[in-house]
Amino acid sequence: MNNYRIIEYGSSDEVAIGIPCSVDYLERATRVVPTYLRRAKYPCKICLILDLCTPWLGANKACNYGIDNINTKYYLYTGVDYFPSIGYLNVAMNTIKETGKKVFCFNDGKWFGKHCSIALVDREYARSIYGSGLFYNGYYHGGADTEINIIYSKDNQVCYNPEAIIMEIDYEKSFDRTFWDGMDTKLFDTRMEVIKNDKIQSIEEPHL
């Protein structure tokens, strides 16, 4: 049985915007779709990656399924609680084309280009890092985006323009390290030792 269903809005062979969601969050995810389409100012399609499991398997695994099964050149990973600025995708695509980089980091109002909590990636490049998927599959809640950001930076593939904003709006989220699962923290620390040995000199660890 397939654990996921992809629901598409719009049409594009170039850019897909992947939004993972559980069955409980499907209505909320559906509400934000018109905003992403209207404000993009660049041709794209929105793909809701619906996790049919109860409890759901987590955003990381849904993102991995999405990038492996949505065949566009670029893939933007975001979430149901993120809201885009006008022209966000147009700015991102222009910046990627001008710089020749493989990853565009959106301004999330928190990390300002130092950490890609939301990013537009070249699918071929992103999937080449682990052989498939977007994130390392061992994480459940936190750590996966921090790890992949370190690798993006190590490869010197990140570009940024503060005019492209996708910002999280969550009135209930606790913005502290308790967001990370204990097992995720142990896995991250172990994997960082391996990655640091591959000539990474310093690591910034954004845990929020």
Side-chain angles (χ1 to χ4, degrees), residues 165-184:
I165 303 167
I166 300 182
M167 187 177 295
E168 185 175 21
I169 300 175
D170 189 336
Y171 299 103
E172 300 174 356
K173 181 176 177 180
S174 174
F175 289 94
D176 55 39
R177 265 201 87 172
T178 60
F179 185 70
W180 277 41
D181 178 85
M183 294 301 294
D184 284 341

Side-chain angles (χ1 to χ4, degrees), residues 67-68 102 122-134 148 151-152 155:
I67 200 169
D68 284 342
K102 303 293 187 182
D122 180 289
R123 272 187 71 247
E124 184 177 356
Y125 164 71
R127 295 183 71 242
S128 72
I129 292 172
Y130 298 119
S132 65
L134 179 66
I148 198 63
I151 295 171
Y152 291 159
D155 289 349

Side-chain angles (χ1 to χ4, degrees), residues 1-7 19-26 48-63 65 140:
M1 175 183 173
N2 192 337
N3 294 325
Y4 299 97
R5 176 186 168 202
I6 296 176
I7 307 170
I19 305 176
C21 67
S22 64
V23 173
D24 291 341
Y25 276 72
L26 179 57
L48 301 186
I49 308 158
L50 179 61
D51 185 332
L52 301 172
C53 297
T54 305
W56 84 315
L57 301 176
N60 295 339
K61 289 182 172 58
C63 284
Y65 182 85
Y140 174 70

Side-chain angles (χ1 to χ4, degrees), residues 6-12 16 33 45-48 69-71:
I6 296 176
I7 307 170
E8 295 191 3
Y9 302 84
S11 178
S12 174
V33 166
K45 64 181 177 181
I46 312 296
C47 299
L48 301 186
N69 290 277
I70 299 168
N71 295 317

Side-chain angles (χ1 to χ4, degrees), residues 150-164:
I150 291 167
I151 295 171
Y152 291 159
S153 297
K154 172 182 174 290
D155 289 349
N156 192 29
Q157 287 297 338
V158 180
C159 59
Y160 174 69
N161 186 323
E163 294 181 4

